[in-house]
Structure formats: structure tokens, C-alpha cells
Amino acid sequence: MPTPSLWEQTLTFFPQFVRELDDRCAPGATVTVIGASDGKFVLPLAEAGYHVIAVENDPQALHGGEVLLPVAGFAYAPSLAERVAEAGVTSQVRIEPHDFFDTALTDMQADAVWTSCSWHYSANHRRPLREFIGRMQDLLAPSGLFGAEFMMPIEDNHYLMEHYTTPDKLFRCFPCGTWEVLLTLRTDPFIERPHVGQLHDHTHRMGVFFAAKREHVDEGSELDEA
């Protein structure tokens, strides 16, 4: 049993993504995880038989080291590679230790792509949100599955940042001639318990967006620039 992820207790809609993945993708399909962190999503995908491309640029996730945890205090957190090896799925996982925008698209091509609350981090604000999403879309072959959960605005300053978005706004990036939107969800504000990087109770509001790239693009369909 691998060491638990630092993010083990945080809310996620990843199980719904896996169900969609199982329905739509063949066994052994490739899934790219953007913001792989310490493998919270990478390990279960690999253990389920999928090939995983884990894209991560954070030194803590890549090399491990000491972290400050709620209640427990300082502790050693293993690296992504250590957790992959500990789980016995090294042959199923390829780690791309680069910034998402600096990694060649050809090195990330997959049947499905998943990201969890990554694009709202300030390090990703240097590029427009549409560019982040478009790059995720470009990784997928026809019929490929796109999955993202993300932070919605809840504090006043969030409403000034496009990277805190809503499912309604994301529809603009998924024109119906090219994409089939499969699922959108949004939560009410909820209290999340302390975790690494956030040592006190805090409030979140999350959204979820799943879509499938159509095998045949409808003639005349274009990306809605509205």
C-alpha cells in the first residue's frame, strides 16, 4: 500500500472521471495528468491498467522533502517517483518533469486528459485561461476525453481573475461542432479541512467539466471567441 497522498482528504470528482474513462476508453489507454503532484490521481489510474503521462514541475513533488502538515507538524513527503515505485507501477507511468507549457505536445498526446485545480495557481496566470484549456484539448485525439475540476470564484479578488471560472464560461471553449459536453457540476461554498499549504479551515467552491472531442468535426464549426 503506497504512502497516502498529501491531498488524500481534499474533495475531488475524480471517481466520476474514472467512470467516464472506463466507459469511453479501451483498457491500456493513455491518460495525461496535468499537475500530477504526488500522484493522487496518477497511482489509481496506473493501478487500473492505464498508461499515465504525469506532467509536474513543482520541486517538492518531483524530489520529495520535508513539509509542514496540520497537527502532525513537519514530516517527510516522498516524491512522485518514489510513490510510483512504491506502488509498483513504474512501467505504467512516465513523468514529464517540465512546465506544462514547456512540454512538447507530442510528449503528452493521450486518449484522455485530466487536471485538478491547477490552472487557478498564480504560476499559470501568465497565460490566458483559454490557452491553458486549448493546450489540454490539443493533446487529445478524436473521441478523446477532457476532464477538469477547478476553483470557482468565492472571494472578491477571485472575480477579477479569469482563472477562477465557472462551467458556464467554459462552454465558450468547447464549440458543439467539435466537442460533446458530457458533464458540468458546481458546488455550493464548502469548508475544507486543513491540509499541506493551508493549515486552517478554508472555504472553496468548485466546478467540474467533462467533454469528448468529436470524431468528425461539423463543417463550419469554429471556436466561439465570444
Side-chain angles (χ1 to χ4, degrees), residues 53-73:
I53 301 170
V55 182
E56 182 54 69
N57 193 42
D58 178 67
Q60 171 66 52
L62 291 175
H63 306 297
E66 193 173 61
V67 295
L68 179 59
L69 301 175
V71 182

Side-chain angles (χ1 to χ4, degrees), residues 108-221:
M108 299 188 290
Q109 296 291 324
D111 303 293
V113 62
W114 167 258
T115 195
S116 173
C117 302
S118 60
W119 63 50
H120 78 279
Y121 282 111
S122 58
N124 292 318
H125 290 186
R126 71 187 192 282
R127 307 283 188 118
L129 177 57
R130 184 181 287 267
E131 188 173 343
F132 192 109
I133 293 169
R135 191 165 174 80
M136 288 180 62
Q137 293 171 330
D138 289 344
L139 305 182
L140 297 174
S143 77
L145 176 64
F146 177 105
E149 57 187 13
F150 47 90
M151 294 301 179
M152 294 175 57
I154 193 167
E155 299 177 6
D156 289 346
N157 64 312
H158 293 167
Y159 289 91
L160 303 176
M161 304 176 190
E162 66 164 347
H163 293 75
Y164 286 86
T165 190
T166 66
D168 294 345
K169 291 180 179 179
L170 291 183
F171 269 99
R172 304 171 188 172
C173 299
F174 293 83
C176 62
T178 310
W179 293 89
E180 177 189 1
V181 175
L182 305 171
L183 175 71
T184 64
L185 293 173
R186 63 180 69 212
T187 72
D188 292 328
F190 63 93
I191 302 296
E192 188 150 76
R193 304 299 297 170
H195 55 72
V196 63
Q198 183 60 269
L199 301 181
H200 305 283
D201 287 357
H202 49 288
T203 303
H204 284 319
R205 188 161 62 118
M206 289 176 64
V208 180
F209 199 99
F210 297 170
K213 183 179 282 190
R214 296 187 184 276
E215 291 197 43
H216 303 289
V217 177
D218 294 347
E219 286 190 17
S221 66

Side-chain angles (χ1 to χ4, degrees), residues 1-5 8 38-39 43-44 47 78 82-89:
M1 177 67 69
T3 304
S5 168
E8 197 75 20
D38 66 359
L43 267 59
E47 289 167 345
E82 287 176 292
R83 282 182 27 85
V84 167
E86 187 180 2
V89 292

Side-chain angles (χ1 to χ4, degrees), residues 42-43 46 50-54 80 84 89-95:
V42 171
L43 267 59
Y50 292 103
H51 294 280
V52 185
I53 301 170
L80 173 59
V84 167
V89 292
T90 303
S91 64
Q92 296 290 112
V93 177
R94 172 161 57 86
I95 298 173

Side-chain angles (χ1 to χ4, degrees), residues 14 17-18 21 31-33 40-52 92 114:
F14 179 68
F17 175 77
V18 173
L21 184 64
V31 184
T32 294
V33 176
K40 175 179 178 177
F41 308 111
V42 171
L43 267 59
L45 288 170
E47 289 167 345
Y50 292 103
H51 294 280
V52 185
Q92 296 290 112
W114 167 258

